[in-house]
Amino acid sequence: MNAAHTLRQMLTAPGMLVAPGAYDAIGAKLIEQAGFKAAYMTGAGTSLARGYPDLGLLTMREMVENAEAMVRSSGLPLVADADTGFGNELNVTRCVREYEARGVAAIHLEDQVMPKRCGHTEGKEVVSRQEFIAKIRAAVAARQNPEFMLIARTDARAVVGMEEAVWRANAALDAGADMAFVEAPQTEDEVSAVPKHVHGPCLLNVVPGGRTPLSNLRDAEKLGYKLAILPGFMLMA
């Protein structure tokens, strides 16, 4: 049974899956030993561990090789940050296949311009609707294993507002994405609104000190979120 299949099974079961974040193989192993069922490879942590800020400075190969080490060290399904797909639709095609070939269970792709910025900082910019959806379609077409999960992340909330972020999330799901990731809702009402208005499974990014009000994970589960990632889990330990 491959990791993507295992992850899909967990996400279709009742409740919400929690995937703590790590940035190296040791962290992934510690998450497994602590009893969690999935792990998340944080792009911010991967950058910081190499001495760079989270400004899209790492190459695809650096990101993919880190994901490979984390998969190799742990038996957990790994959800990995794939930034913007590292370019246009052709780059996205290669990106999907590189992560998939390393045994990663899922990736998320976002609609920021390159170079991207941390999702909870100022100064973000997003690409057009058309470019974002074209990348999602390219990712869907690129995967070899239909169970490999594609998570569509939109950073539009901070740039053009919540209504646009919800539109992009739904359009990405219509284009074949498996899950929507509306990054950095800024109020409790917005956190609650995402699962109501997005027509598919939703991911919640829990960043202490970030733009999103800290949510009790049990409350997030009651709201209808299917996956919660905790990217700072190891960084703040």
Side-chain angles (χ1 to χ4, degrees), residues 1-10 71 75-77 103 105 145 147:
M1 188 180 297
N2 63 52
H5 179 79
T6 301
L7 181 64
R8 280 184 181 272
Q9 283 194 319
M10 290 190 289
V71 168
L76 298 180
N145 175 6
E147 294 194 293

Side-chain angles (χ1 to χ4, degrees), residues 169-188:
N170 282 322
L173 290 168
D174 290 343
D178 300 293
M179 177 174 280
F181 174 2
V182 175
E183 173 66 305
Q186 296 184 11
T187 67
E188 291 184 4

